[in-house]
Amino acid sequence: MSEDKKPKRGLDRRSLLLGAAGGVAVTGAAAAGFVTLDRQARSLRTPAAVEGGPAQIAESFQDSRPAYAEAVTAPADAPNIIVIVLDDIGFADLGCYGSEIATPNIDAIAGAGLRYSNFRTCAMCSPTRAALMTGLNHHSAAMGWLADLDSGYPGYRGDLTHEAATLAEVLQEKGWNTLHVGKWHVNVAHTNGANGPTDNWPTSRGFDRAYWFQGHSTDYFRPGELLEGTAPVEPPDRPGYFVVDDLTDRAIAYINTQKSIDPERPFLLQLCYPAGHSPLQAPAADRDTYRGKYDIGWDGVRTERLKRQQALGLVPETTVLPPLAPGFPPGRPCRRRSRSCSPATWRSMPA
C-alpha cells in the first residue's frame, strides 16, 4: 500500500474523552495523595514555639504549641567573683593592714582596690561564715554560735538555716558557675558523716563543685578527711604536702576547667583557708623565716602594728590600744609555743 493510501493516525473523539477522563483520575488521585500526606505531615510537624511563655496544650498535637526552656545566662558584663575567707585572722595580721608578716600578693590586691577599716565580725568562724554567705545577722542564719551543737532555739541551731538563700544559690540561679574550696563548718556536727544528711553540704547550698573538709579544723600535713562534692577522697600523696597548697591548686584547677569548657560564663569561687586556725602548723621554711621576730612580746607587736596602721591612714593618729587582759603583764615575751610565735601559720597562706 502506498504511503498516501495508509490510514492516518490521530485522536478521535472517543480516544480524547477516554484520555481526558484518565488524566483527571490520575490528577485527582495525586491531589488526594498530597492532601493525605499534608495531613500526616501536620500531625507530625512541630508547631511554632511560644516565645517567652508557657506551652499551649490543645486537644491535638498540631493545634498545640510548645515552649522550650532556655539556659539561664548571666549578663554580658557579669564579673567573676572570688571570696577568700581566712580563719582567725585579726585586723592587723595582713601586711596591707600594718602587719610585719609578708603578704605581698594580698597587699597588691589591696593597693589596686579598697581597704575597709570600719566593719564588724562575729568573733567565731561559723557565725562569720554564715553571715558572709547569707548577708544576714548570724542569729538570723541560725548560727549564733559554732556549727556543732543544736541548742533547740532558732538562733542557735548550729546548722545554716534553709530559710535564707546563700550567695551561691542566688548566683547559681542567675547563671554563674559556683565553686567552693576549703573549710565549710556551717552544718551541725551530727551531719558530718559520710551518710549525711547532706542538705547543708556545699553542693546542696548552691555550689556546683566543692573540694572541702568538715568541722572546725584539720591537720595541715595529714588532713583527716577531704571531700569532692559528697564523696570522701584521699589527699594527694606527695612529699611536702600542705593542705593550704592543695586547696590553692584545686581552686586553680576548678577555674581552668570552667574557663576551658564555658569561657563566657562567670564564676563565683569561695576559697576558705584554715590558716591561721588551730592546729598552728606551718612548713619549716616559713616558720624559720620569722624566728626571733616576736621576742618583743604581745605588747610590742601590737604597738608596732598600730604605728604602721596610723602611717597607712587606716586609723586616726589619736587611736590608742585597748588594755591587755587582766593578769597579762605588758611586754611579756612570747613563749615558744604561744599563738603569737607562729606567724608562719599566717605566712603559709598563698599571700
Side-chain angles (χ1 to χ4, degrees):
M1 181 179 297
S2 63
E3 290 294 329
D4 57 345
K5 293 185 178 180
K6 289 182 180 179
K8 295 183 179 181
R9 303 182 63 180
L11 290 177
D12 56 24
R13 180 179 177 84
R14 180 172 180 276
S15 299
L16 180 62
L17 291 176
L18 288 174
V24 170
V26 171
T27 303
F34 285 126
V35 170
T36 300
L37 290 174
D38 183 62
R39 287 175 179 172
Q40 291 176 347
R42 285 190 61 203
S43 66
L44 298 174
R45 189 185 304 129
T46 302
V50 177
E51 296 292 339
Q56 298 176 2
I57 310 301
E59 293 184 357
S60 63
F61 177 77
Q62 58 264 35
D63 293 326
S64 300
R65 293 187 63 190
Y68 298 103
E70 294 184 1
V72 177
T73 56
D77 57 348
N80 297 317
I81 302 170
I82 299 177
V83 179
I84 300 176
V85 183
L86 308 177
D87 247 3
D88 290 1
I89 300 298
F91 177 68
D93 282 331
L94 301 176
C96 54
Y97 280 93
S99 178
E100 68 292 334
I101 302 170
T103 55
N105 293 328
I106 292 178
D107 296 352
I109 294 173
L114 299 174
R115 272 176 289 183
Y116 295 98
S117 59
N118 183 12
F119 54 89
R120 66 181 297 273
T121 65
C122 303
M124 293 183 291
C125 55
S126 297
T128 299
R129 292 167 190 278
L132 179 64
M133 291 171 63
T134 64
L136 299 175
N137 177 281
H138 52 297
H139 295 88
S140 297
M143 201 68 66
W145 59 12
L146 290 176
D148 291 297
L149 301 173
D150 183 353
S151 73
Y153 293 98
Y156 295 86
R157 291 293 184 190
D159 203 34
L160 189 64
T161 180
H162 284 276
E163 295 180 0
T166 67
L167 175 63
E169 288 170 330
V170 173
L171 293 181
Q172 187 183 55
E173 291 183 355
K174 298 298 182 181
W176 269 257
N177 191 202
T178 51
L179 313 165
H180 172 83
V181 175
K183 180 176 172 180
W184 184 242
H185 204 209
V186 288
N187 56 299
V188 70
H190 72 261
T191 67
N192 283 353
N195 289 333
T198 64
D199 60 297
N200 247 342
W201 292 18
T203 50
S204 296
R205 294 310 307 262
F207 290 99
D208 298 314
R209 304 187 68 184
Y211 183 70
W212 60 294
F213 63 89
Q214 302 270 22
H216 62 83
S217 61
T218 191
D219 188 311
Y220 290 75
F221 301 103
R222 299 176 183 83
E225 182 178 70
L226 295 174
L227 296 104
E228 179 84 43
T230 60
V233 295
E234 292 294 326
D237 183 12
R238 62 174 181 246
Y241 175 87
F242 194 64
V243 73
V244 172
D245 297 333
D246 185 20
L247 298 177
T248 302
D249 292 343
R250 185 57 60 98
I252 294 172
Y254 275 178
I255 293 174
N256 287 341
T257 299
Q258 192 262 342
K259 286 303 178 184
S260 296
I261 296 174
D262 197 355
E264 301 302 320
R265 187 180 180 188
F267 66 84
L268 163 70
L269 169 65
Q270 180 171 280
L271 180 54
C272 301
Y273 290 114
H277 194 288
S278 63
L280 298 179
Q281 299 171 321
D286 289 335
R287 179 197 63 206
D288 294 343
T289 298
Y290 292 88
R291 189 178 298 278
K293 291 184 179 291
Y294 292 86
D295 292 344
I296 59 175
W298 281 97
D299 214 32
V301 170
R302 68 192 194 124
T303 298
E304 292 301 317
R305 288 186 176 186
L306 177 60
K307 291 179 181 179
R308 285 189 287 269
Q309 288 182 336
Q310 291 170 332
L312 290 169
L314 294 171
V315 298
E317 292 185 2
T318 55
T319 303
V320 296
L321 291 168
L324 289 168
F328 201 95
R332 179 179 179 179
C334 296
R335 293 180 178 175
R336 184 176 299 277
R337 296 187 180 277
S338 72
R339 189 180 188 86
S340 61
C341 287
S342 299
T345 303
W346 285 258
R347 179 66 182 87
S348 64
M349 299 182 300

